[in-house]
Amino acid sequence: AQRVTQPEKLLSVFKGAPVELKCNYSYSGSPELFWYVQYSRQRLQLLLRHISRESIKGFTADLNKGETSFHLKKPFAQEEDSAMYYCALRGNQGAQKLVFGQGTRLTINP
Amino acid sequence: NAGVTQTPKFQVLKTGQSMTLQCAQDMNHEYMSWYRQDPGMGLRLIHYSVGAGITDQGEVPNGYNVSRSTTEDFPLRLLSAAPSQTSVYFCASSFGGLGSYEQYFGPGTRLTVT
């Protein structure tokens, strides 16, 4: 079974502080992991995926297969990072099907 | 490109009423899907389609029907609305190949069932 867990519903940090949004997954094969973000009054959109190993808006995420984690990190938070963040998994058999975590609402305080 | 469009944006139904949420995309995407978003539960897959004429159930299909007669459209039908179906509904689409990965989401439909 595919499962994605985001243990924090709410996360609040001060501007300039480091941010880490946790994501753990359960999948027996080789999954693809993604982070999607929903800013206020905007559509859900892709932030980054593990295969690309790139930094988007200062965020990075490393797939740790040993710990089955895909935590999202940013060294210095900015106020515009306030949003809802979803971790998502795509299995290697399910084509485009995505399984989402419960989401973490990140608030950056000035 | 309009991308993924959804109508209506808001809807209030009484228990037992039926209605159809519309979803259309103009990107020639093979894959389309419907999710519901509930607080603390994230997005859950209701139904999906890998191409015209092909649909399948997701995680929470009960109470919903879909059809895919064209590549562009993927309507979601509520057969007999229940308060438990109060939610925000999102439609998404993407190319179908394993090499593609990004799903494009619509703006959502906020449904309230009283």
Side-chain angles (χ1 to χ4, degrees), chain B:
Chain B
N1 272 356
V4 180
T5 59
Q6 290 182 238
T7 55
K9 289 186 179 179
F10 302 94
Q11 182 70 50
V12 179
L13 290 178
K14 293 189 188 314
T15 298
Q17 287 184 317
S18 63
M19 78 157 296
T20 299
L21 308 185
Q22 301 292 344
C23 173
Q25 52 89 11
D26 61 359
M27 298 174 281
N28 203 31
H29 286 167
E30 297 96 332
Y31 182 84
M32 296 186 74
S33 56
W34 277 101
Y35 294 88
R36 59 177 290 172
Q37 182 187 45
D38 301 292
M41 305 191 76
L43 279 81
R44 292 180 291 168
L45 183 64
I46 304 171
H47 285 285
Y48 65 97
S49 168
V50 298
I54 306 169
T55 64
D56 206 347
Q57 296 180 350
E59 182 185 354
V60 288
N62 291 343
Y64 307 94
N65 270 359
V66 292
S67 60
R68 184 96 180 270
S69 56
T70 67
T71 300
E72 295 78 19
D73 301 297
F74 191 45
L76 178 72
R77 280 183 288 277
L78 280 71
L79 309 173
S80 177
S84 61
Q85 293 177 304
T86 293
S87 187
V88 181
Y89 292 84
F90 289 99
C91 180
S93 73
S94 69
F95 287 110
L98 285 178
S100 65
Y101 55 87
E102 182 169 0
Q103 291 204 17
Y104 295 84
F105 284 81
T109 294
R110 186 175 293 275
L111 176 68
T112 301
V113 183
T114 61

Side-chain angles (χ1 to χ4, degrees), chain A residues 36 38 43 49 86 90 96, chain B residues 4 37 97-98 100 103:
Chain A
Y36 278 79
Q38 188 175 27
R43 303 182 184 207
R49 60 178 188 141
Y86 289 98
R90 184 173 85 173
Q96 300 297 325
Chain B
V4 180
Q37 182 187 45
L98 285 178
S100 65
Q103 291 204 17

Side-chain angles (χ1 to χ4, degrees), chain A:
Chain A
Q2 303 173 11
R3 191 183 190 95
V4 177
T5 303
Q6 294 177 248
E8 305 139 327
K9 285 186 180 179
L10 303 170
L11 184 62
S12 182
V13 302
F14 286 102
K15 177 181 172 182
V19 173
E20 182 178 46
L21 288 82
K22 291 184 168 50
C23 172
N24 290 91
Y25 68 90
S26 173
Y27 184 67
S28 56
S30 296
E32 285 189 75
L33 274 296
F34 306 87
W35 278 98
Y36 278 79
V37 60
Q38 188 175 27
Y39 301 103
S40 179
R41 287 185 286 278
Q42 292 189 29
R43 303 182 184 207
L44 195 64
Q45 57 188 284
L46 178 67
L47 180 62
L48 55 79
R49 60 178 188 141
H50 87 270
I51 287 179
S52 62
R53 300 184 64 82
E54 57 191 345
S55 173
I56 303 292
K57 299 184 179 183
F59 284 99
T60 59
D62 291 319
L63 180 61
N64 186 323
K65 291 186 177 180
E67 297 182 358
T68 60
S69 68
F70 187 56
H71 303 327
L72 183 68
K73 300 177 183 179
K74 185 170 182 176
F76 307 103
Q78 298 173 295
E79 289 185 63
E80 54 264 34
D81 296 328
S82 294
M84 191 74 174
Y85 291 80
Y86 289 98
C87 183
L89 176 153
R90 184 173 85 173
N92 54 9
Q93 298 171 351
Q96 300 297 325
K97 284 175 63 177
L98 285 178
V99 175
F100 284 87
Q102 300 92 328
T104 297
R105 181 166 297 281
L106 175 65
T107 301
I108 308 301
N109 300 305

